[in-house]
């Protein structure tokens, strides 16, 4: 009976998949691309009215305002934007996109390895380019993503991909860009999120957990300083970390934990640190500026960590970090973080209500993540020499009331706007118009 049930589920999934396949990746037309009459938001804070952009072989070759460079229709596909807004592709940081499909179905989850310390586990081979969720992100302007692991103390290694590919080999921009360390919590609270327990208590295991981390990192440092006569696959995950060519993404929230984790990184001689944190990071902004530590700020559409903080406190943190002069970007970490990540642009839009300009908010999901990830020479802004990864929107792409994305290009290739959501929309719209409801 069990085998019959399994066969039935698999058969139904195959039948269902026939109704909505993930669109095939875009392909070059053999021509260049010229977009005219657009309002260009370049990601560097500039807005160019009546702008034009020319791209060839997947790269932006020229841009300007007014009358564009001459381009033959035989050599270029010419797109009249008619006053639409042209944005650089949004970059999603710190997300297990492509590693999980349905939260309630365990067989579709592949974002967490067993055990506490997995420095050698990396996400790229597990990244599923055929995920139904990827097209929903592209249609909201997210064109690149950092695919990050979850779970444990050392989750593993992330990689950076573009979101229009046949397989992970085609998708990769940077393989193993950095290691993700979940710093031990100094405090614990009983209960759960809906009914938390009493006052937070100091963790009795904190010092032991930190000591274990110190021992592991010291062992890795000695391993790479020595002859490595015998290969250690687990320690190979630390490659580049002590030299600074790979990043250590430290996930820590409480101010005391942040301070302690930075002291740990300094003690270990680590040179390329990125802090991934929540709204309490504002309290240590001065220290982070002094140490030149970039920040990935967790979802600001969230409740504050402190019970006595105003409900809008997370949304005003970006303005405080910008005032402190920090390099930081936004992510969407938290519950339902993959399916909800399509709202990344609206996080940036919310920050504009608390003291940040529209163009500065745009940089938090374009230029700044590109700088933090080390891909700013090819992504993050609309400039000559960079990838032609951008999109057109009829309205403000950071405002859910006006965003209306009509065309998307990744590395110069036109990308389908179809997704499972658009297919279902058309299906039920047709049912209504045909009078079958």
């Amino acid at each position: 009976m069990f085998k019959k049930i399994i066969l039935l589920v698999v058969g139904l999934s195959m039948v269902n998949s026939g109704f909505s396949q993930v669109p095939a990746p875009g392909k070059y037309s053999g021509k260049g691309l010229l977009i005219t009459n657009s309002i260009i938001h370049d990601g560097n804070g500039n807005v160019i009215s009546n702008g034009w952009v020319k791209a060839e072989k997947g790269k932006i070759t020229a841009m300007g305002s007014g009358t564009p460079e001459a381009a033959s229709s035989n050599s270029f596909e010419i797109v009249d934007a008619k006053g639409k807004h042209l944005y650089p592709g949004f970059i999603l940081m710190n997300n297990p996109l492509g590693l999980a499909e349905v939260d309630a179905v365990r067989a579709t989850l592949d974002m967490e390895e067993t055990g506490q310390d997995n420095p050698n586990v990396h996400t790229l081979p597990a990244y599923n380019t055929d995920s139904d969720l990827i097209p929903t992100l592209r249609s909201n302007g997210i064109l690149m993503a950092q695919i990050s692991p979850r779970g444990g103390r050392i989750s593993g290694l992330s990689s950076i991909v573009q979101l229009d590919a046949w397989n992970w080999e085609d998708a990769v921009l940077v393989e193993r860009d950095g290691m993700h360390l979940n710093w031990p919590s100094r405090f614990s609270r009983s209960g759960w999120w809906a009914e938390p327990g009493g006052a937070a208590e100091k963790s009795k295991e904190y010092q032991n957990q930190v000591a274990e981390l110190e021992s592991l990192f010291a062992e890795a440092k000695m391993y790479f300083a020595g002859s490595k006569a015998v290969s250690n696959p687990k320690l190979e995950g630390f490659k580049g970390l002590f030299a600074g060519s790979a990043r250590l993404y430290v996930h820590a929230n409480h101010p005391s934990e942040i301070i302690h984790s930075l002291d740990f990184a300094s003690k270990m001689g680590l040179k390329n640190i990125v802090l991934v944190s929540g709204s309490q990071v504002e309290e240590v902004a001065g220290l982070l500026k002094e140490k030149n530590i970039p920040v990935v700020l967790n979802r600001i559409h969230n409740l504050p960590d402190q019970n006595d903080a105003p409900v809008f406190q997370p949304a005003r943190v970006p303005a405080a970090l910008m005032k402190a002069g920090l390099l930081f970007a936004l992510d969407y970490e938290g519950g339902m973080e993959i399916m909800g990540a399509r709202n990344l642009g609206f996080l940036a839009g919310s920050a504009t209500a608390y003291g940040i300009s529209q163009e500065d908010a745009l940089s938090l999901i374009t230029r700044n993540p590109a700088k933090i990830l080390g891909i700013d020479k090819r992504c993050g802004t609309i400039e000559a020499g960079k990838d032609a990864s951008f999109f057109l929107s009829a309205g403000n792409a950071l405002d859910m009331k006006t965003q209306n994305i009509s065309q998307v290009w990744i590395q110069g290739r036109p990308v389908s706007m179809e997704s499972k959501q658009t297919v279902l929309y058309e299906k039920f719209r047709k049912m209504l118009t045909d009078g079958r409801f």
Side-chain angles (χ1 to χ4, degrees):
M1 179 61 69
F2 178 75
K3 290 182 179 179
K4 290 180 179 179
I5 293 173
I6 293 296
L7 289 172
L8 177 62
V9 171
V10 172
L12 288 174
S13 66
M14 291 175 67
V15 171
N16 181 62
S17 65
F19 290 109
S20 174
Q21 295 289 343
V22 175
K27 61 180 180 179
Y28 293 110
S29 64
K31 295 183 178 182
L33 174 66
L34 176 62
I35 301 175
T36 64
N37 300 319
S38 65
I39 303 169
I40 301 174
H41 303 259
D42 68 359
N44 282 318
N46 305 309
V47 180
I48 303 173
S49 300
N50 192 26
W52 56 269
V53 171
K54 182 183 284 188
E56 299 175 75
K57 297 180 179 179
K59 296 288 185 180
I60 299 171
T61 55
M63 59 184 293
S65 179
T67 304
E69 292 182 353
S72 166
S73 59
N74 294 327
S75 303
F76 283 83
E77 178 189 355
I78 301 175
V79 177
D80 185 356
K82 299 179 181 178
K84 293 181 179 178
H85 300 261
L86 185 69
Y87 290 91
F90 298 161
I91 302 173
L92 175 64
M93 293 196 69
N94 181 39
N95 196 277
L97 175 67
L99 304 182
E101 197 70 10
V102 182
D103 289 349
V105 180
R106 184 176 180 182
T108 71
L109 308 181
D110 194 18
M111 57 187 178
E112 181 177 341
E113 189 57 84
T114 57
Q116 281 294 303
D117 298 321
N118 297 289
N120 56 317
V121 171
H122 60 114
T123 58
L124 191 59
Y127 174 64
N128 176 23
T129 54
D130 288 326
S131 168
D132 279 327
L133 299 172
I134 292 174
T136 68
L137 270 65
R138 290 196 309 238
S139 61
N140 268 25
I142 299 170
L143 308 187
M144 285 78 66
Q146 180 192 33
I147 312 303
S148 302
R150 291 290 181 262
R153 191 162 51 194
I154 299 179
S155 302
L157 306 167
S158 57
S159 291
I160 307 165
V161 300
Q162 51 85 9
L163 301 187
D164 182 56
W166 288 102
N167 49 56
W168 64 263
E169 291 96 334
D170 294 340
V172 64
L173 294 176
V174 180
E175 185 173 358
R176 308 185 194 198
D177 71 290
M179 180 185 293
H180 290 257
L181 166 63
N182 297 306
W183 191 255
S185 177
R186 299 193 70 168
F187 303 94
S188 62
R189 188 190 297 270
S190 60
W192 59 303
W193 69 267
E195 296 182 13
E201 298 180 353
K202 287 188 176 181
S203 170
K204 298 177 181 179
E205 297 298 320
Y206 179 75
Q207 295 298 336
N208 290 335
Q209 292 174 342
V210 172
E212 289 172 1
L213 279 174
E214 289 178 348
S215 176
L216 178 59
F217 274 74
E219 182 183 2
K221 191 172 184 179
M222 291 176 60
Y223 173 75
F224 284 99
S227 61
K228 296 194 295 182
V230 178
S231 177
N232 186 323
K234 184 174 182 178
L235 297 183
E236 284 291 334
F238 287 86
K239 187 176 181 179
L241 210 60
F242 298 101
S245 58
R247 294 165 187 78
L248 178 66
Y249 295 92
V250 179
H251 298 244
N253 288 317
H254 193 276
S256 65
E257 295 166 4
I258 295 172
I259 293 171
H260 201 177
S261 67
L262 296 183
D263 288 342
F264 166 83
S266 178
K267 179 180 178 180
M268 292 292 112
L270 299 167
K271 302 177 181 180
N272 200 345
I273 309 299
V274 177
L275 177 66
V276 184
S277 188
S279 59
Q280 294 186 73
V281 71
E282 178 183 357
E283 299 180 31
V284 291
L287 174 65
L288 296 171
K289 175 61 177 177
E290 178 186 332
K291 292 182 174 291
N292 196 29
I293 304 293
V295 175
V296 180
L297 181 61
N298 294 157
R299 188 191 313 183
I300 62 173
H301 283 181
N302 217 337
L303 293 174
D305 294 327
Q306 302 98 328
N307 293 333
D308 57 348
V311 70
F312 52 79
Q313 189 263 343
R316 69 184 186 187
V317 173
L321 299 187
M322 187 161 286
K323 185 177 180 180
L326 292 179
L327 172 63
F328 71 102
L330 304 180
D331 77 4
Y332 204 84
E333 184 175 357
M336 297 189 290
E337 58 186 322
I338 302 177
M339 64 173 291
R342 62 180 180 267
N343 296 317
L344 180 67
F346 307 142
L347 296 187
S350 294
T352 65
Y354 296 92
I356 288 184
S357 71
Q358 288 284 336
E359 302 311 312
D360 283 341
L362 175 63
S363 72
L364 301 183
I365 53 175
T366 55
R367 181 191 63 193
N368 287 13
K371 285 185 175 181
I372 293 171
L373 294 171
I375 57 173
D376 52 309
K377 290 185 177 180
R378 61 180 302 183
C379 303
T381 56
I382 298 177
E383 296 180 78
K386 294 194 176 183
D387 287 355
S389 296
F390 38 59
F391 64 88
L392 283 171
S393 174
N396 180 1
L398 306 187
D399 187 344
M400 64 181 298
K401 295 181 295 183
T402 62
Q403 185 210 69
N404 185 5
I405 296 175
S406 57
Q407 289 175 279
V408 173
W409 294 266
I410 294 180
Q411 297 175 343
R413 302 183 305 273
V415 176
S416 172
M417 296 294 291
E418 183 182 279
S419 69
K420 194 168 187 177
Q421 293 175 348
T422 62
V423 170
L424 290 172
Y425 172 81
E426 288 300 327
K427 173 183 175 180
F428 290 104
R429 185 189 65 80
K430 191 174 189 306
M431 184 180 69
L432 288 172
T433 56
D434 290 351
R436 289 182 290 171
F437 186 71

